[in-house]
Amino acid sequence: MKFVLLAIFLLLVIAGEDYYQLLGLKRGASEAEIKKAFKKQSLKYHPDKNKGNEEKAQKQFQKIVNAYETLKDPEKKKIYDQYGEEGVNKHEQQQQQGGGGGGGFHNFQGGFEEMFSQFFRGGSGGGGGRQQFHFNFGGNQGGSGFRNQDFQEGGQAKKNNIFENTDVYTLDMSNLSRFYRREEVWVIYFYLPNGEGQKHKKVVTELAEKYEGIFRVAAIDCEDDEALCEDEFQVKRYPSISIYASRLSAEPIKYKGKWEVNDLVKEAVDLMEDFVIILSGFNFQEYIEKSKPKVILFTNKKSTPPLFKTLSKEFKGKLEFAMIRQSERQLASIFKITEFPSLIVAQNDQDFKVFEQDFRKDEIVKFLRQFAYGQKKESQQKGIQKLNGQNYEQCIVKGKDLCFILLIKDELELELISKIPNKYKNDSISFYYGFLKQLTSKFEVNQRESYAVIIKPKRQTYTVQNSIETNEIIGFIDDVLGGGRTFKKMHSTFRKDEL
């Protein structure tokens, strides 16, 4: 009899997946070991690591999610250890029949990339201080839905992010794609949130604030994301900093200098791509005869300033960048330059325009765009229009662009975002507004305060921003354009004849 029972048990186990093997674990693994193993295995199937093989990677990711969901739950784990996968399936069927929820992972409607990032959205998921997401793949509390508590020890809420409300970008499993697709230098701070980790917070924060828009400063909490630090980035000593070039194949630099902003800046700037020509009497004539508009910086610096390196990459192929040092007085006199630094855009040595604003990146970019894209394109303004029956389908159903809708109580609130659309005139996003009282059914059914929505018409998905403060809206749009934010499947929102 014992032999028969043992044989039945073995058949049940053999018939299904070996969850321990899938996660690379031994039986009896602790909750912490299960969590770490799951993250480690998940990294192998990240969408950016499986280009051209997404379907296979997604199926494998689903398997390890199912294994994790079972082994992290004490009751399911006990059933699995006794009766295998079949036993767990029967247990879940009984729960569903009893009204215990269900659904879960297989009901997700988005693509693999969205699926992966949203599963881990329970992490910090974005820049310091950005709105966080509560994501559930389906089911009630008693079912198998995934909540943002999944990765908290003992079921407790995630601890505070020490870089909350700073310019330091919090990197975790949910937004790893941004690192994989980087186009600029990244400086990553690996830390544990203890006294030693807090010790360098000021330096890292200052670095991020001063060089925002020039290179990316990010941080990973290696207590929460040990697998990410150790397995993906091969970092096992904390606190530490590694610097990554924009060229994806380049080896990272393990920073070993002083914990001072200027020292860190030097290392990061050395890795930045530089498309700036140093002009002198020997090459000036050849340069000035080039057909593209020429951006020339007159400076007393010996090396190319970081901001100018950044601009030379952003406008590569559209503008020619060069630098003239203060010692080249004859060249400076051609353009009547007496102050350093000075910036001009020249067609030739007779036709040029001097930049007269503050040397801030946003002001310089605005100045350069009129030459990079032509006066006509620059003069076109992007505004916000009222959503009506004529433009409804373009926004909601058929549009190629992202569709931003501001749902407001009165038109006075339009002033808050009046200048925002023009900030995105070169991006594929259109801007509309409507009134809460006019719409009998909304994206957020119980929402009574003004809010914003961005829709992906082709995918029929949308995401919501509850605050309509200018900075929050800009952050919201930037997140979406950068590939972030959680999108929900469209439900019945409002009808065309309601507009």
Side-chain angles (χ1 to χ4, degrees):
M1 185 65 181
K2 288 183 179 180
F3 177 78
V4 173
L5 290 173
L6 179 60
I8 293 172
F9 167 73
L10 288 173
L11 284 171
L12 284 170
V13 173
I14 292 170
E17 294 280 358
D18 186 334
Y19 289 168
Y20 290 98
Q21 187 177 11
L22 277 171
L23 296 178
L25 291 167
K26 295 180 179 179
R27 289 183 178 270
S30 67
E31 183 180 347
E33 288 171 334
I34 292 169
K35 180 176 72 172
K36 181 179 177 180
F38 170 65
K39 286 191 174 184
K40 181 177 180 178
Q41 293 298 320
S42 296
L43 285 167
K44 295 179 182 179
Y45 304 104
H46 191 284
D48 282 283
K49 288 185 170 184
N50 292 274
K51 294 295 185 184
N53 203 22
E54 289 92 343
E55 186 176 348
K56 184 177 179 181
Q58 179 176 337
K59 287 180 180 178
Q60 193 63 25
F61 180 61
Q62 286 176 310
K63 287 182 180 181
I64 63 174
V65 165
N66 290 333
Y68 170 72
E69 276 291 287
T70 297
L71 299 184
K72 78 180 182 66
D73 184 301
E75 183 181 3
K76 290 181 182 179
K77 182 174 181 291
K78 184 177 179 180
I79 294 170
Y80 176 79
D81 287 344
Q82 288 183 314
Y83 304 108
E85 185 178 20
E86 186 66 25
V88 175
N89 291 339
K90 288 182 178 179
H91 170 72
E92 289 184 342
Q93 287 171 9
Q94 290 171 356
Q95 277 197 323
Q96 290 172 14
Q97 291 169 2
F105 192 76
H106 58 278
N107 290 331
F108 182 69
Q109 300 295 320
F112 182 34
E113 184 179 329
E114 256 184 291
M115 175 193 296
F116 191 97
S117 64
Q118 289 179 358
F119 183 85
F120 293 103
R121 184 64 73 176
S124 299
R130 293 286 171 86
Q131 180 182 355
Q132 306 306 317
F133 298 90
H134 179 91
F135 187 83
N136 192 323
F137 279 87
N140 301 317
Q141 289 186 358
S144 58
F146 304 148
R147 297 170 296 280
N148 61 355
Q149 291 92 345
D150 274 350
F151 294 108
Q152 309 316 310
E153 298 291 350
Q156 297 178 357
K158 188 177 180 72
K159 62 180 179 295
N160 291 334
N161 173 7
I162 71 170
F163 291 106
E164 193 78 19
N165 299 318
T166 72
D167 291 312
V168 179
Y169 186 79
T170 300
L171 188 62
D172 59 28
M173 296 280 285
S174 73
N175 54 24
L176 199 54
S177 285
R178 296 198 184 183
F179 172 76
Y180 290 144
R181 302 172 190 179
R182 66 188 181 277
E183 295 183 352
E184 74 271 74
V185 170
W186 279 56
V187 179
I188 302 183
Y189 178 53
F190 302 89
Y191 73 99
L192 299 176
N194 52 24
E196 192 67 21
Q198 295 271 3
K199 181 179 176 182
H200 304 296
K201 176 183 175 181
K202 183 179 178 181
V203 171
V204 176
T205 302
E206 184 180 345
L207 182 70
E209 182 180 346
K210 286 186 175 181
Y211 290 88
E212 193 272 331
I214 296 176
F215 50 77
R216 175 85 72 172
V217 179
I220 302 178
D221 180 342
C222 295
E223 184 174 85
D224 272 348
D225 278 301
E226 184 180 357
L228 187 58
C229 294
E230 293 189 1
D231 296 298
E232 184 63 18
F233 290 96
Q234 300 295 305
V235 173
K236 299 181 180 180
R237 295 183 65 182
Y238 320 112
S240 65
I241 280 181
S242 291
I243 306 175
Y244 299 81
S246 57
R247 186 164 50 88
L248 303 184
S249 60
E251 289 294 318
I253 291 178
K254 305 284 187 182
Y255 181 72
K256 297 180 181 178
K258 295 180 180 178
W259 287 87
E260 294 181 4
V261 171
N262 290 340
D263 293 71
L264 284 162
V265 168
K266 185 179 184 304
E267 293 275 8
V269 170
D270 284 347
L271 285 184
M272 292 178 66
E273 293 179 276
D274 187 348
F275 302 99
V276 181
I277 299 170
I278 306 299
L279 293 181
S280 68
F282 295 103
N283 61 358
F284 175 75
Q285 197 58 44
E286 180 185 354
Y287 173 80
I288 206 66
E289 291 175 358
K290 291 186 176 183
S291 59
K292 289 177 185 173
K294 291 157 279 291
V295 184
I296 305 175
L297 175 68
F298 298 84
T299 178
N300 54 12
K301 304 289 185 183
K302 290 184 178 180
S303 58
T304 308
L307 175 56
F308 208 52
K309 282 187 177 184
T310 300
L311 294 170
S312 74
K313 181 174 181 178
E314 288 184 11
F315 288 94
K316 185 184 177 186
K318 299 179 179 67
L319 301 171
E320 298 284 348
F321 281 76
M323 192 172 83
I324 296 177
R325 296 191 177 111
Q326 189 172 4
S327 57
E328 298 286 344
R329 298 184 183 278
Q330 186 177 356
L331 296 183
S333 67
I334 293 173
F335 300 97
K336 300 179 175 61
I337 298 298
T338 57
E339 294 184 4
F340 298 83
S342 287
L343 183 72
I344 69 168
V345 175
Q347 293 296 337
N348 51 56
D349 56 4
Q350 300 297 318
D351 181 10
F352 59 90
K353 187 173 182 179
V354 179
F355 174 69
E356 297 177 344
Q357 305 298 320
D358 292 336
F359 268 71
R360 299 201 325 261
K361 185 182 178 184
D362 58 342
E363 293 289 351
I364 297 175
V365 167
K366 183 179 178 181
F367 175 69
L368 296 182
R369 274 182 174 173
Q370 60 186 306
F371 303 99
Y373 302 106
Q375 293 282 357
K376 184 176 179 181
K377 187 169 183 178
E378 182 64 20
S379 64
Q380 294 175 349
Q381 302 293 305
K382 182 179 280 190
I384 183 166
Q385 54 185 305
K386 187 176 180 181
L387 191 64
N388 55 41
Q390 284 70 48
N391 55 34
Y392 169 85
E393 288 193 356
Q394 183 65 23
C395 171
I396 307 293
V397 183
K398 298 180 179 179
K400 295 180 180 179
D401 291 355
L402 294 171
C403 179
F404 174 97
I405 306 177
L406 187 70
L407 296 163
I408 52 177
K409 291 186 283 189
D410 59 66
E411 286 191 354
L412 291 175
E413 292 178 303
L414 282 177
E415 184 63 28
L416 288 171
I417 73 154
S418 60
K419 296 180 180 179
I420 291 178
N422 212 39
K423 175 180 171 66
Y424 299 97
K425 57 188 167 188
N426 295 315
D427 295 296
S428 298
I429 181 169
S430 301
F431 292 83
Y432 300 88
Y433 73 92
F435 296 103
L436 286 173
K437 64 181 180 181
Q438 181 185 13
L439 307 175
T440 55
S441 56
K442 292 93 173 170
F443 292 91
E444 300 294 284
V445 178
N446 298 318
Q447 180 67 275
R448 296 183 180 179
E449 298 299 322
S450 299
Y451 66 102
V453 172
I454 291 180
I455 299 170
K456 290 181 179 178
K458 286 187 176 181
R459 291 194 176 187
Q460 284 294 285
T461 56
Y462 73 98
T463 185
V464 171
Q465 166 64 36
N466 289 321
S467 169
I468 62 168
E469 293 295 327
T470 302
N471 290 339
E472 294 289 342
I473 291 294
I474 290 173
F476 174 51
I477 297 171
D478 286 348
D479 273 356
V480 172
L481 291 174
R485 289 283 173 155
T486 299
F487 276 77
K488 307 175 185 177
K489 198 71 178 171
M490 291 274 283
H491 50 73
S492 178
T493 52
F494 50 84
R495 302 187 308 275
K496 183 177 178 179
D497 58 15
E498 291 183 80
L499 301 171

